[in-house]
Amino acid sequence: YILCAGSFDGSLAITAKIVPIRFSCQNQLSFALRGTGDEIKIRHTDTATQKLAEASRLLGITDRVFNELGVVYNRLALRKLSEKDLLAYVSRLIPDNPNAESNARTKAIRQTICDLTEAGVGSHLNRMTAWSALQGATEWVDHCLSSHNAEKRFNTVVFGGGDILKKKAFTLVTDMFLN
């Protein structure tokens, strides 16, 4: 989604940024506006019209990237995985910690991602595919990492370690199963 925010009185610059969800309340909007990440801000000045034209050009690029990602997502949905493929994927996504006394937590995380791949939300549509493996990983990040503080959880999932892990999951699944 593209978040666009502004104010009638000019006190808030016109702000546009790509966000992973559609906002349903002021709290979510406030979190996104305070968060870090790439964004375009255009102050209410004489050059605002030219800057809005540049933002429109960037949106055209975003549309092209969106369409290219659709092709990748469809390829992932068609790529069937074996149990061995899935285990190799989650082992590379969540590697053992060589300094840990026990890798029990790592194994539990991997098992949860495997379970979500096979039985997570929407998995019945593309069971045991590269797409469902990616969705299992992202569902684990978005819904199984716990924090009782909503703002901290949001920032982790969207901008922090959760975001990094989801990007790694995407890169890894495309490298392993599409290339």
Side-chain angles (χ1 to χ4, degrees):
Y1 295 96
I2 299 173
L3 165 66
C4 293
S7 66
F8 290 108
D9 64 1
S11 61
L12 175 68
I14 300 166
T15 303
K17 66 191 303 183
I18 306 241
V19 294
I21 60 171
R22 187 175 74 193
F23 295 106
S24 60
C25 69
Q26 182 64 36
N27 289 340
Q28 291 173 335
L29 176 62
S30 296
F31 293 156
L33 290 174
R34 279 194 305 231
T36 60
D38 295 333
E39 62 186 17
I40 297 170
K41 286 192 175 216
I42 301 170
R43 290 188 8 237
H44 295 272
T45 63
D46 293 339
T47 61
T49 302
Q50 292 89 4
K51 290 179 180 178
L52 286 170
E54 174 64 9
S56 177
R57 185 188 71 76
L58 292 173
L59 288 176
I61 293 169
T62 301
D63 186 52
R64 180 183 52 79
V65 170
F66 177 81
N67 290 329
E68 290 171 2
L69 280 173
V71 171
V72 172
Y73 294 163
N74 285 323
R75 288 181 61 208
L76 290 170
L78 294 172
R79 174 61 163 84
K80 295 287 186 190
L81 298 184
S82 67
E83 236 1 90
K84 183 179 175 183
D85 291 334
L86 179 58
L87 292 174
Y89 172 69
V90 296
S91 293
R92 286 183 60 190
L93 181 63
I94 311 290
D96 286 334
N97 179 350
N99 299 323
E101 287 182 30
S102 167
N103 283 302
R105 182 173 182 271
T106 300
K107 289 177 183 175
I109 292 168
R110 287 181 191 154
Q111 185 58 54
T112 301
I113 292 172
C114 288
D115 293 345
L116 291 169
T117 296
E118 296 183 50
V121 175
S123 63
H124 65 284
L125 300 172
N126 297 93
R127 193 168 318 244
M128 288 303 289
T129 63
W131 177 254
S132 66
L134 176 60
Q135 294 309 301
T138 59
E139 186 174 348
W140 180 80
V141 169
D142 291 346
H143 301 288
C144 297
L145 283 176
S146 63
S147 174
H148 299 294
N149 179 310
E151 185 172 358
K152 181 179 176 184
R153 181 179 178 147
F154 178 83
N155 285 328
T156 297
V157 168
V158 178
F159 305 113
D163 181 50
I164 292 166
L165 187 61
K166 288 187 288 187
K167 288 175 182 172
K168 178 182 176 184
F170 178 77
T171 300
L172 188 59
V173 81
T174 56
D175 288 349
M176 287 180 73
F177 304 118
L178 296 185
N179 296 331

